[in-house]
Amino acid sequence: MERIIEADLEKLKTDVLTAFHMAQAGVEKSLRTVFERDPEPARAVIASDAAIDALECTLDAEILRLLALYQPVARDLRYILGCMRTVGDIERIGDQAVGVAHRGLWLVARDPLAPPARLEELAEATRDFLSRTAVCFAELDMTLARRLCEESEDILELNVAILKEMTEFMRDEARPVERAVQISFIAHALKRVCDQCTNIAESVVFISEGACSRHRCD
């Protein structure tokens, strides 16, 4: 029995990571549209969103099956519930990627406007957050989980700085106002992606320690 549940839990981890990497790829493709003005990656993100949603439904059904079949306790129960939380966060990362893709397409259809340097900084930070979150979940790395939680404050500060910069830009330049608004929304979407990564890190804390840390990692 123990070996059977271990095999199922390992498959669950693999499937969750598959969904995560799909969402991660969506964020990367949407950013290519924003920074390279190539519409095709954004269109691919929008077209593939249904696949992430379908995988979320499949994972939800699998999690319910494991709960009913094994009636797990202790760490096994925490792991399954942590995966359930993580799957929801992954789906929201996918939604943010779609949102950035739509806004990237809107920007491509207008005259070029160089994204602010801080947006590039935030995009790179988001890529880094996603990469480290995958490792954090796969290895249940508590040190990395706590580090991601702490660094989420830096992401918030960067997002606020971009919003302030775009506000000043709109004040000084009336004509490109709507483009600045779109960039502000893209920045907020990237910040939300990092929020979901932080949630996944908090789920790792929950799996490892059984502590509820949805709003803090201490």
Side-chain angles (χ1 to χ4, degrees), residues 72-79:
V73 297
R75 185 178 176 84
D76 287 343
L77 177 60
R78 297 200 306 271
Y79 188 82

Side-chain angles (χ1 to χ4, degrees), residues 156-196:
L156 175 59
E157 291 177 6
L158 187 52
N159 181 57
V160 170
I162 292 171
L163 293 178
K164 288 181 178 178
E165 182 178 344
M166 288 298 98
T167 300
E168 294 172 0
F169 181 80
M170 288 184 284
R171 181 194 62 202
D172 298 335
E173 300 287 343
R175 290 179 61 190
V177 163
E178 194 168 0
R179 282 176 291 177
V181 170
Q182 298 298 332
I183 288 174
S184 296
F185 278 118
I186 288 170
H188 181 70
L190 295 179
K191 182 260 181 188
R192 289 295 297 147
V193 167
C194 294
D195 285 345
Q196 306 311 328

Side-chain angles (χ1 to χ4, degrees), residues 30-105:
S30 66
L31 288 173
R32 281 177 53 198
T33 294
V34 172
F35 291 107
E36 299 175 16
R37 294 183 61 80
D38 180 358
E40 292 309 314
R43 291 173 183 149
V45 171
I46 294 166
S48 64
D49 184 52
I52 295 178
D53 292 343
L55 185 51
E56 179 194 18
C57 293
T58 299
L59 283 166
D60 284 345
E62 178 63 12
I63 286 168
L64 290 176
R65 185 188 74 84
L66 293 178
L67 290 172
L69 179 62
Y70 296 112
Q71 298 182 4
V73 297
R75 185 178 176 84
D76 287 343
L77 177 60
R78 297 200 306 271
Y79 188 82
I80 294 172
L81 293 179
C83 285
M84 182 182 293
R85 290 178 174 180
T86 296
V87 168
D89 290 317
I90 290 170
E91 191 275 335
R92 285 188 284 276
I93 290 173
D95 286 346
Q96 295 297 333
V98 171
V100 173
H102 279 294
R103 297 185 187 283
L105 288 173

